[in-house]
Amino acid sequence: MERTPKNIFLIGMMGSWKSTIGKLLAIKLKMKLIDTDHAIEEMTEMKISEIFSELGEERFREMESAFFIEKSRQTGYVFSTGGGIVLSEANRNALQNNGTAILLRANPKILENRLRNTQKRPLLSNSNELEKRLTVIWNKRKTLYKSSAHLTIDTNDLESVDVVQKILEQKDRF
Ligand code: S3P
């Protein structure tokens, strides 16, 4: 009998390609995909930036956590999580207990290049020193990312398809 696959949680900083890799990985593994930011935008009919500006970050975190904890109880999903998913202890417990968490790592300089032309990240808006801002956020969160990850993939010099390949090479670990 085929076993039900556990969940795969892609975690990491803004710009670490969680959404792109999630889509590709879900296709390769024939698993269903949940992108937490997209799902919250659909449910609220608001953009993430509007949720931050109109309701505030705290309300966003509450919605993110409620949605994530509920959904992570199911099995067989690839989750592309929001970069702040590791901030809540309850979310970290769900990452630990309900599947395999894969940290997609990239240097702040690389993240900066990937994010330079997007206006979608409220935590980065008004920042003309993007690399510095990303470094500050990484330094605040790195312990949480590392302790939450069952597996870490360094994506610095890779194309997205190569990242997927690297993950698939470690399939026996999830
Ligand atoms: C955030 C990351 C974003 C989004 C929100 C907050 C964060 O998701 O959830 O803007 O705190 O790092 P991505 O990591 O998909 O950009």
Side-chain angles (χ1 to χ4, degrees):
M1 201 170 70
E2 223 175 88
R3 76 184 170 98
T4 312
K6 290 197 296 181
N7 294 314
I8 296 173
F9 303 114
L10 299 178
I11 63 171
M13 290 282 288
M14 291 169 270
S16 61
W17 283 345
K18 301 178 298 287
S19 296
T20 310
I21 306 298
K23 275 185 210 152
L24 297 171
L25 197 59
I27 292 171
K28 284 274 183 199
L29 292 173
K30 298 190 174 68
M31 288 169 75
K32 294 162 282 182
L33 174 72
I34 293 181
D35 186 306
T36 60
D37 281 351
H38 289 176
I40 292 167
E41 287 187 334
E42 267 178 23
M43 276 184 318
T44 57
E45 297 183 355
M46 292 168 87
K47 294 277 161 211
I48 299 294
S49 55
E50 291 169 343
I51 300 176
F52 268 68
S53 63
E54 290 173 29
L55 307 177
E57 179 173 351
E58 204 178 320
R59 185 74 196 101
F60 170 74
R61 297 295 175 206
E62 283 167 13
M63 289 193 283
E64 180 181 52
S65 199
F67 175 78
F68 178 64
I69 289 170
E70 171 69 24
K71 288 289 173 188
S72 70
R73 292 201 183 106
Q74 305 175 34
T75 51
Y77 283 88
V78 173
F79 282 79
S80 297
T81 65
I85 208 80
V86 293
L87 294 173
S88 130
E89 190 182 354
N91 294 352
R92 294 197 298 275
N93 288 339
L95 289 170
Q96 273 313 299
N97 298 327
N98 297 343
T100 304
I102 303 178
L103 172 62
L104 301 179
R105 272 208 65 172
N107 295 334
K109 185 80 205 148
I110 302 258
L111 297 175
E112 180 197 29
N113 287 335
R114 294 182 193 166
L115 290 165
R116 194 172 287 140
N117 295 317
T118 79
Q119 306 299 322
K120 288 194 289 193
R121 274 49 175 218
L123 293 182
L124 302 177
S125 56
N126 304 324
S127 178
N128 42 23
E129 292 189 307
L130 206 48
E131 187 185 354
K132 254 195 199 161
R133 177 90 192 100
L134 288 160
T135 306
V136 168
I137 297 175
W138 168 253
N139 284 336
K140 274 195 197 147
R141 294 181 181 171
K142 65 182 170 197
T143 314
L144 300 177
Y145 282 133
K146 288 180 187 173
S147 62
S148 299
H150 298 100
L151 204 70
T152 298
I153 306 283
D154 186 342
T155 74
N156 277 331
D157 302 313
L158 300 179
E159 299 292 333
S160 48
V161 284
D162 304 322
V163 176
V164 173
Q165 195 47 43
K166 252 187 153 179
I167 294 174
L168 293 175
E169 279 164 17
Q170 311 232 30
K171 201 164 173 288
D172 54 332
R173 296 180 58 187
F174 54 86

